[in-house]
Amino acid sequence: MNDKEILKLGAIRDVCEKRIRREDAARVLSLSVRQVQRLVTRFRQYGAASVVHQRRGQSSSNRINHSVKLRCLALIREHYADFGPTLAHEKLTECHDIHVSVETLRQWMIADGFWVPHAKRKPRVYQPRYRRDCLGELIQIDGSHHDWFEGRSSKCCLLVYIDDATGRLMKLRFSETESAFDYMVATREYIDQHGKPTAFYSDRHAVFHVSKRDAQTDRLTQFGRVLQDLNIELICANSSQAKGRVERANKTLQDRLVKEMRLQGINTIEQANIWLPDFITDFNRRFAKPARYPKDMHRTVRESKDELDDIFAWQELRKLSKSLTFQYDKVMYLIDPTEQNQRLVNQTVKVLDRPDGTIAIQYAHRKLTFKVFDKLANVDQGQVVDNKRLGSVLKFAQAKQQEFDQQQKRSRSKKAPKRTAQQRALKQLEAINPVLMHPEQFKTSSKKP
């Protein structure tokens, strides 16, 4: 008996033994007085069994025929043994014209051992992985988003580079976002300081891994292309547990680094990036372990500075028009019409968008000189008139003015890279020497000293 039936049995027995009235029993059981009288009469005639529902133990009137159940399980055993309940239900409905609910089919499959509920599945065991043997053999990288300055500045991201063999912090850098440009800047500083490691080990962030479903497996992200050009392997982990060392390091940093910056009075990203080498030295002295073998697997950087500038750039291909122009990030670039460049009509050139904000255009191994017409900037009529391709520029300007009237706002292309790192680099350069940023605002004096 269930609890409700036990309560009913006790109330009816009390009525029969005249301990309570029928009205009181009706109020306790939420029944009418006449129904209580029927139960009393049945109890006196059949005893406690009269309280149990008369349909108990009998099959439901809308019960599915047992032969249908056997047919479903036979089809599943023969054709759909590794199918889930939902997919098996679709196939039984579409291919075999068997109509039962998904939940009914799930319970049949569970009872027959074809399906194990998620709640009853054994948790996956992640066994610890042995450390690598040498320094520089595997470098784990990750971005840790946190309120690092405890409200003194906006929330930001800390890019962490940690050696798998020793647990040493190899590089730390604060950035506003976790973008490709930020990783390019941090990785450039890493190889300048330590050399090129054998491999980087990361999660499946969009900076490292092409996550679109329709993407081909051989496609590379911009950061992946950078590492390929440097002959550095990029390995993406399948789960967060697989990169547990960098995860534990992030938790330690979110505790110790935050408190250290509070004590040091560091409140901005710029101040923190200058001070971080001191923190790295102290952290490694406390927590780093010796590698199993003393060999350093970092390789010497043999690329020149100019080659590294081209490698650590956002690279895209553009096709030149008949007038030797193309558009990139809503900006028109006009290649200088020299005799050599006039042969490049309808040819494909490579745009190098560097983290410091500079743009270079390359064809084969040759850099091309160019001029810029930015549709988002104010048009300088003097510069437009001096340009020999005035017609194409004016036609471009008219089209963009009509587009602006329709949109009522102007913004860079959403397909272009995020330029947070570029803007920060330009601000730092402007603070050092504003003449380099705005040379047109400064005129040389004609007075003799």
Side-chain angles (χ1 to χ4, degrees), residues 260-388:
E260 288 288 348
M261 289 194 297
R262 184 201 308 160
L263 297 175
Q264 296 291 334
I266 296 175
N267 302 322
T268 64
I269 291 178
E270 290 77 10
Q271 295 174 353
N273 285 332
I274 295 174
W275 170 78
L276 278 176
D278 297 333
F279 175 82
I280 293 175
T281 302
D282 181 71
F283 186 94
N284 291 337
R285 180 179 58 84
R286 297 175 184 274
F287 300 106
K289 299 179 179 180
R292 184 176 301 178
Y293 299 107
K295 182 179 180 180
D296 189 349
M297 298 295 291
H298 286 98
R299 294 162 292 157
T300 304
V301 179
R302 303 188 183 278
E303 291 82 0
S304 65
K305 180 181 181 303
D306 293 337
E307 290 175 337
L308 290 176
D309 290 340
D310 293 344
I311 292 174
F312 285 97
W314 187 283
Q315 298 184 4
E316 291 194 13
L317 300 179
R318 290 293 185 272
K319 187 175 181 180
L320 293 179
S321 66
K322 294 181 179 180
S323 57
L324 296 179
T325 62
F326 68 89
Q327 295 183 39
Y328 170 71
D329 195 14
K330 296 188 178 180
V331 177
M332 174 178 279
Y333 292 86
L334 306 97
I335 305 300
D336 288 346
T338 62
E339 182 179 355
Q340 188 178 14
N341 290 344
Q342 287 178 357
R343 304 172 186 173
L344 303 182
V345 173
N346 295 329
Q347 296 297 315
T348 300
V349 296
K350 183 185 295 183
V351 181
L352 306 177
D353 192 350
R354 294 167 179 154
D356 61 359
T358 59
I359 298 289
I361 301 173
Q362 180 176 336
Y363 177 76
H365 299 288
R366 181 166 62 93
K367 294 294 193 304
L368 304 179
T369 56
F370 59 91
K371 296 180 181 179
V372 176
F373 178 77
D374 190 348
K375 75 169 187 176
L376 301 188
N378 294 327
V379 178
D380 187 341
Q381 299 295 336
Q383 294 180 3
V384 173
V385 172
D386 291 339
N387 197 297
K388 295 181 180 180

Side-chain angles (χ1 to χ4, degrees), residues 93-129:
T93 303
E94 297 172 0
C95 303
H96 305 280
D97 197 28
I98 298 178
H99 300 277
V100 296
S101 67
V102 177
E103 188 57 36
T104 298
L105 185 62
R106 178 181 286 107
Q107 297 304 322
W108 290 349
M109 294 177 67
I110 291 174
D112 219 49
F114 291 112
W115 180 253
V116 179
H118 290 279
K120 294 184 179 180
R121 293 181 184 178
K122 293 182 179 180
R124 185 176 177 181
V125 178
Y126 294 93
Q127 295 183 343
R129 174 178 55 81

Side-chain angles (χ1 to χ4, degrees), residues 18-64:
K18 296 183 179 180
R19 284 198 288 267
I20 60 174
R21 298 179 304 169
R22 290 175 174 79
E23 291 81 358
D24 298 332
R27 186 166 50 255
V28 171
L29 300 176
S30 300
L31 299 174
S32 65
V33 177
R34 295 182 61 184
Q35 181 63 20
V36 171
Q37 180 59 46
R38 294 190 190 98
L39 293 174
V40 170
T41 303
R42 192 181 304 164
F43 178 78
R44 288 172 177 169
Q45 186 176 358
Y46 300 104
S50 64
V51 180
V52 180
H53 199 281
Q54 300 300 309
R55 296 286 296 177
R56 173 172 290 186
Q58 300 182 17
S59 61
S60 173
S61 57
N62 60 348
R63 177 186 179 184
I64 299 176

